Short mmCIF file of all heavy atoms in Angstrom, two decimals:
data_model
loop_
_atom_site.label_atom_id
_atom_site.label_comp_id
_atom_site.label_asym_id
_atom_site.label_seq_id
_atom_site.Cartn_x
_atom_site.Cartn_y
_atom_site.Cartn_z
N ASN N 297 87.91 122.99 123.52
CA ASN N 297 86.76 123.90 123.35
C ASN N 297 86.36 123.91 121.88
O ASN N 297 86.95 124.55 121.06
CB ASN N 297 87.12 125.30 123.83
CG ASN N 297 85.99 126.26 123.67
OD1 ASN N 297 84.99 126.02 122.97
ND2 ASN N 297 86.14 127.44 124.28
N LYS N 298 85.28 123.18 121.56
CA LYS N 298 84.80 123.06 120.15
C LYS N 298 84.45 124.39 119.55
O LYS N 298 84.60 124.60 118.32
CB LYS N 298 83.66 122.09 120.06
CG LYS N 298 84.02 120.65 120.11
CD LYS N 298 82.82 119.77 119.81
CE LYS N 298 83.16 118.32 119.97
NZ LYS N 298 82.06 117.43 119.51
N ASP N 299 83.91 125.29 120.34
CA ASP N 299 83.48 126.63 119.81
C ASP N 299 84.64 127.45 119.32
O ASP N 299 84.49 128.21 118.38
CB ASP N 299 82.71 127.40 120.91
CG ASP N 299 81.41 126.71 121.30
OD1 ASP N 299 80.86 125.98 120.42
OD2 ASP N 299 80.95 126.91 122.40
N ALA N 300 85.78 127.30 119.97
CA ALA N 300 86.93 128.14 119.63
C ALA N 300 87.94 127.39 118.79
O ALA N 300 88.83 128.03 118.14
CB ALA N 300 87.61 128.65 120.87
N LEU N 301 87.87 126.10 118.72
CA LEU N 301 88.92 125.25 118.15
C LEU N 301 89.37 125.68 116.74
O LEU N 301 90.57 125.74 116.48
CB LEU N 301 88.43 123.81 118.11
CG LEU N 301 89.46 122.73 117.91
CD1 LEU N 301 90.55 122.80 118.99
CD2 LEU N 301 88.83 121.37 117.88
N PHE N 302 88.42 125.97 115.83
CA PHE N 302 88.81 126.26 114.44
C PHE N 302 88.85 127.77 114.17
O PHE N 302 89.01 128.18 113.01
CB PHE N 302 87.83 125.55 113.50
CG PHE N 302 87.90 124.06 113.54
CD1 PHE N 302 86.86 123.34 114.15
CD2 PHE N 302 89.02 123.40 113.05
CE1 PHE N 302 86.93 121.95 114.17
CE2 PHE N 302 89.06 121.99 113.13
CZ PHE N 302 88.04 121.27 113.71
N LYS N 303 88.71 128.60 115.25
CA LYS N 303 88.78 130.04 115.05
C LYS N 303 90.25 130.51 115.04
O LYS N 303 91.09 129.91 115.62
CB LYS N 303 88.02 130.72 116.15
CG LYS N 303 86.51 130.50 116.04
CD LYS N 303 85.78 131.44 116.96
CE LYS N 303 84.29 131.47 116.70
NZ LYS N 303 83.59 130.27 116.97
N ARG N 304 90.45 131.65 114.37
CA ARG N 304 91.80 132.21 114.36
C ARG N 304 92.27 132.64 115.72
O ARG N 304 91.47 133.15 116.50
CB ARG N 304 91.80 133.47 113.45
CG ARG N 304 91.64 133.07 112.01
CD ARG N 304 91.65 134.28 111.17
NE ARG N 304 91.20 133.83 109.84
CZ ARG N 304 91.19 134.56 108.76
NH1 ARG N 304 91.61 135.80 108.82
NH2 ARG N 304 90.77 134.08 107.62
N PHE N 305 93.55 132.39 115.96
CA PHE N 305 94.21 132.78 117.22
C PHE N 305 93.64 132.05 118.44
O PHE N 305 93.88 132.43 119.57
CB PHE N 305 94.17 134.29 117.48
CG PHE N 305 94.70 135.07 116.35
CD1 PHE N 305 93.91 135.87 115.51
CD2 PHE N 305 96.06 134.99 115.99
CE1 PHE N 305 94.42 136.57 114.47
CE2 PHE N 305 96.60 135.71 114.94
CZ PHE N 305 95.74 136.50 114.15
N ALA N 306 92.86 130.98 118.18
CA ALA N 306 92.35 130.16 119.31
C ALA N 306 93.47 129.27 119.81
O ALA N 306 94.07 128.54 119.11
CB ALA N 306 91.14 129.33 118.84
N LYS N 307 93.75 129.44 121.14
CA LYS N 307 94.77 128.59 121.75
C LYS N 307 94.12 127.86 122.89
O LYS N 307 93.32 128.39 123.63
CB LYS N 307 95.92 129.49 122.24
CG LYS N 307 96.63 130.20 121.10
CD LYS N 307 97.51 131.27 121.61
CE LYS N 307 98.87 130.72 121.97
NZ LYS N 307 99.87 131.76 122.15
N GLN N 308 94.46 126.60 123.06
CA GLN N 308 93.86 125.81 124.12
C GLN N 308 94.48 126.12 125.45
O GLN N 308 93.95 125.89 126.49
CB GLN N 308 93.94 124.31 123.75
CG GLN N 308 93.05 123.93 122.56
CD GLN N 308 91.58 124.26 122.76
OE1 GLN N 308 91.02 124.00 123.82
NE2 GLN N 308 90.97 124.82 121.75
N ASN N 309 95.72 126.61 125.41
CA ASN N 309 96.36 127.07 126.65
C ASN N 309 97.25 128.25 126.39
O ASN N 309 97.82 128.39 125.33
CB ASN N 309 97.12 125.89 127.34
CG ASN N 309 98.31 125.43 126.54
OD1 ASN N 309 99.14 126.24 126.14
ND2 ASN N 309 98.42 124.13 126.37
N SER N 310 97.35 129.13 127.35
CA SER N 310 98.04 130.37 127.16
C SER N 310 99.56 130.22 127.06
O SER N 310 100.26 131.12 126.62
CB SER N 310 97.67 131.38 128.24
OG SER N 310 97.93 130.76 129.45
N THR N 311 100.08 129.08 127.51
CA THR N 311 101.53 128.89 127.46
C THR N 311 102.04 128.42 126.10
O THR N 311 103.23 128.42 125.86
CB THR N 311 101.97 127.86 128.54
OG1 THR N 311 101.28 126.64 128.31
CG2 THR N 311 101.66 128.38 129.94
#
Side-chain angles (χ1 to χ4, degrees):
N297 180 347
K298 282 187 183 188
D299 294 334
L301 196 59
F302 296 109
K303 290 193 168 66
R304 290 180 193 187
F305 305 111
K307 295 166 87 165
Q308 293 300 316
N309 65 50
S310 54
T311 57

